[in-house]
Amino acid sequence: MALYTAALFSETGKNILAVAPDPALAETLFGNICFFAGGPGGKKNVLYLPQFETLPYEPLSPHPDIAAARIKTLILMAEKKEPYVLVTTPAALSQKCAPENMLEKSFMHIKVGDSTDREKLAEFFALGGYVFSDPVEEPGAFAFRGGILDCYPPDEETPLRIEFFGDEVESIRRFDVETQRSMKFLRETAVPPMKETNYLNSDPGFIVGNLDKLDAMGSGGSGNSGSSPALARVRASFLNREFFPAMERFLPLFYEKTAAPADYLPEDVAAVLFEPEKINEHIDLYRDQINEGYEGTGGRGELYPRPEELFVDDEKLKSLLDALPGLTLASLSVEEDGGCCVSVKASEMERLRGAFSRFIYDCKNRLKEGVSTMVAVRDEKSARRIKNLFADEDIGVTELGPEELKDRLRSCMAEAKTKIPGMPAPAVMATVGNLSSGFYLPSARIALITEEEIFGRHVEARKKRLAVFATDFSDVKPGDYVVHRDHGVGIYHGASTVSTRGAKDEYLELEYSDNQSLFLPISSIHLLEKYSGAGGPKPPLDRMGGKTWDKTRAKIKKGIMKMAKELLATYARRQTEKAFAFSKENHFSREFSDSFEFTETPDQAAAIGDVIKDMESENTMDRLVCGDVGYGKTEVALRAAFKAALDGKQTAVLCPTTLLVNQHLKNFKSRLAPFAARVEELSRFVPKPRQKEILDELKNGKVDIVIGTHRLLQKDVKFSSLGLLIVDEEQRFGVRHKERLKKMSASLDVLTLSATPIPRTLHMSISGIRDISIINTPPPGRRSIKTFIRKFSGETVKHAVDRELSRGGQVFFVHNKVETIQSMHTYVKKLLPSVRVSVAHGQMPARELEKTMENFVKRRIDVLLCTTIIESGLDIPNANTIIINGADKFGLAQLYQLRGRVGRARHRAYAYILVPDAMTPLAGKRIKAVEELSELGSGFKLAARDMEIRGAGNL
């Protein structure tokens, strides 16, 4: 579908409006159209207008990334002089926006050599919706540091650094977010506002006057006036020109006349509608959500403009889409009908997951049949790798640039359309670009396949941080305490540009006692570390050249030596039991690493390196890998298990639940299948006769890896040559289980995985008795989870489910009482009659539970009503809302683990923690702690907080 849209754009040169029914499909199409558009400026002429991922009239603002992307697209649409493709959804087109002329008037124009009032500039950012943040890392942030202004406009790919000499603009340059180093210089720039609802062109009196008119009319169709505390807060915010949640819903108060995104479109626009029937369904659904949301505002005593002031009429929107010339594309095949409806046959490409010999075989067969193969790779290095691998088979690979890619596809499609001989000669080609998935197009005699589908590697590469910024200094803010290796404790005051001997460079300003200042070159940042005593009493500042810091260092060194002696004694005792020393890494290890679907985060790569090093040593490994939910601990376990299998040693993977066993089994089998490693499971999912067979094969060495629940700890489980024990979610196992583990692991390498380790495990790791690797780096695109604590109500449940389903997602609903879960199922079905709801719990028959989970993964179920069986290891990126009922009955780690089931995609995730009217003080503390620990990478902090709440002392 994306290919035909890009072809239509390329061939006609017309503006195209591409509409998909939901955000998930729209984002995929946007990326794919960018890939196929190619060429100079081709990708720049593909725009994406997102919808707010909040429900109409919900008292929340959209995520800042979405607000930035939306205003960026509107700006580009207003400025475009060349044709473009706009990819969007019905809901995004329904949301009214600022008029085109008012948006342009809001820009701040800055030019090198001009004099600019810096106070006026600061006011622009404050009134335009920007947020002060130092360092500047996200769109919508700005920071003044002396004569330097950093800002990140929503329409820029990188932030800007503007340097002043007095009030004169001396330079404008882009800089890299990761390194903070300057890049390209600019002569001038036009900085737009961050929000459509801003105070730049709106007098507070004008806004409040409109608010008075709104107040007089009442809201929600109730006729009630808006004289409520909520309205009073809104009025005060407008008078003080403050930004507040759901401010976007007051758009009509800021402009005499609002606009619709369609008003920005040029006259000669053609439409491409993906799944037109679903588009109409989503328009109707969105209209229902608008009406329900507006009616609900009256009951809450809130006041908002009427729907017709905020949203485009649904019938007008349908008429607009029907009236535009263009194409409608549906996934269902249709027969050729009078030249209007054409069936295009295409099939998906098989995921080979590292079986490169199979890929070469398929390519050879396609070449014999006159079919070309095009490989989409992530970078030039991967293209060269493909070329070298095919060279061994005497097959040449043509590397295609963007224009060559367009020409090749154009030729194939033109020949397929006219059915005239002369199809381009079949070939194997490689082109750099991001494509979501490959396909085979028989009519054009071409197959496209992605690097991910061949090697099992994710196409989108993670941008690498410089090693200097991979330290914990990367999150230091001005005013924080830091430690310099030679001068001791000081206060960090940010970066600034200093001229020395006619040259300019960037320096970090540090303050020491007696008003001493140190300007440290940014190249010497490796000498600094963040002060680790944050949250405690403020440390005294050291004096440069004084003796205080030397005494402190001597004291620390003495303490370290004492700890080292204790650790030496501990490890001396451990070394009495020698472990098997695994062989060094080889080409099989590298091939297995390449089959990983994603690029390792820095912490993940370090943890893998730690485990490999431990296994190659003769000392017994006892390592804890602590990382937040979804941060990649399973990949660490996979690398260790594969290393053991290469040396003929068996691995036992111990899991707390059958559901986690099932998920691990699928992951291990899919990754290890190309390498002929045998993986089996032992749990109640396995029939008794099959269990006996597996036990015999395990004893005879025919099974390389066994994954199981507590069943692995029973006495009838015997191994031929067990070399590695992996314990996933150790905190879920009791004392008796751990005693059995001790007997199993007397001379074994042991790898323990946990997001929230129990206090004893955590203390042993920190004190050095066990080794520890911490994975703090979130995966690319991972966002913090928006957490709400609410009393249980049908309105809250309906609200949460409607929001998630409106953006094409799915919902976990946790109800941890098997005896009443069917009653809850009846209640939810009555509350949401059109929603597909299914039940999952641990007492269900194994095959029924497995089938339910399979249906949920394949999106045949909208809401999974379940017990805490989903707590560990489940990875379903499309499920980004979780409702946890009876949250007062859960422990802190449980709540944290459950909340971690969502937030694994690029969309904002929501967690609703539902509590009763009355609960114990301990439960209240736990729930409050989960809300406080809302940022990414908090599992390690949570374990320490849990110790404090339970009275185990401070860590």
Side-chain angles (χ1 to χ4, degrees), residues 29 53 187 388 399 438 476 568 712 780 871:
L29 289 170
E53 291 188 351
R187 287 296 305 166
N388 292 336
E399 292 187 46
V476 172
L568 188 62
L712 284 180
E871 178 181 345

Side-chain angles (χ1 to χ4, degrees), residues 118 176 265 268 362 401 599 605 619 750 778 789 830 859 883:
R118 281 190 282 173
D176 186 271
L265 292 170
D268 64 333
D362 290 344
T599 302
N619 297 328
V750 180
I789 298 174
K830 186 176 179 181
R859 304 189 186 185
I883 302 168

Side-chain angles (χ1 to χ4, degrees), residues 12 19 98 127 189 195 214 261 296 369 381 408 441 482 526 619 636 762 772 795 837 893 906:
T12 65
V19 184
L127 299 183
T189 186
K195 295 179 180 289
L214 187 64
E369 296 169 1
K381 181 180 178 182
R408 183 76 186 200
L441 203 61
V482 294
H526 61 280
N619 297 328
V636 181
L762 188 63
I772 184 170
E795 182 184 355
V837 185
R906 294 194 299 125

Side-chain angles (χ1 to χ4, degrees), residues 46 210 249 374 416 474 537 570 679 731 803 807 848 898 944 950:
V46 183
N210 282 336
R249 302 301 179 201
M374 184 178 293
S474 59
T570 301
V679 185
Q731 74 275 7
R803 183 214 282 113
R807 60 179 184 172
E848 184 183 345
L898 285 168
R950 293 194 290 177

